[in-house]
Amino acid sequence: MRKIFVVVSALSLASFALQFVFAAVGAFTRPAGDGAYALHSVTGMAVIPVLTLLTVLFAALAKAPGRLVGLAALPLGLVVVQALLAALANGATDAAGASTPFGLTIAGLHAVNGIVAVHVVVNVLRGARQLARPEPDVTAPMAVQEGEPA
């Protein structure tokens, strides 16, 4: 289970990295239509939550410490915050539908929250790798040859 925890954590980190790529695809798509951010939206609203739930499940099955299990669950909350920030930024437009300074500030917070989420997932992966390392056997008897001091 510990190796699966590492694999799922790594997949989660990869999906977060792809989120930045998909956001750039949406930002640079011309003409920018409603589908420009489709990959970004699907990954953020479906793939990342599913991988986060799997990460939490395998963290618990791997008997990870409670703090690591909680840390593994944190990206789910950050995804909810992401959706709220995106909705608020998109809704903060003027009468002509143009972005407002407030909306752009909220959009910037959307990016910052994404960076925070990546750092959380990196720490989950580090914890999973540490948990998966075999512990040294300190209780194994040492062989002492005759004539050697113990």
Side-chain angles (χ1 to χ4, degrees):
M1 285 301 143
R2 291 180 177 191
K3 287 183 181 181
I4 296 172
F5 179 34
V6 171
V7 170
V8 173
S9 297
L11 289 173
S12 183
L13 180 58
S15 70
F16 272 94
L18 283 173
Q19 268 300 78
F20 285 92
V21 173
F22 296 153
V25 168
F28 293 106
T29 296
R30 298 292 178 258
D34 289 338
Y37 288 95
L39 289 172
H40 184 71
S41 295
V42 168
T43 303
M45 300 305 287
V47 175
I48 287 175
V50 167
L51 284 172
T52 299
L53 291 172
L54 287 173
T55 303
V56 172
L57 173 68
F58 287 112
L61 291 174
K63 296 183 171 66
R67 180 180 167 134
L68 185 55
V69 175
L71 192 63
L74 184 57
L76 198 55
L78 293 171
V79 166
V80 172
V81 171
Q82 281 295 79
L84 293 173
L85 288 171
L88 187 57
N90 287 333
T93 57
D94 62 15
S99 298
T100 63
F102 175 74
L104 293 172
T105 302
I106 298 301
L109 292 176
H110 179 82
V112 170
N113 188 58
I115 293 168
V116 169
V118 168
H119 283 280
V120 169
V121 175
V122 164
N123 285 319
V124 170
L125 180 56
R126 283 182 183 155
R129 284 181 174 162
Q130 194 171 31
L131 189 67
R133 281 192 202 120
E135 294 182 23
D137 191 6
V138 294
T139 60
M142 291 178 43
V144 178
Q145 293 181 352
E146 284 187 38
E148 286 187 20

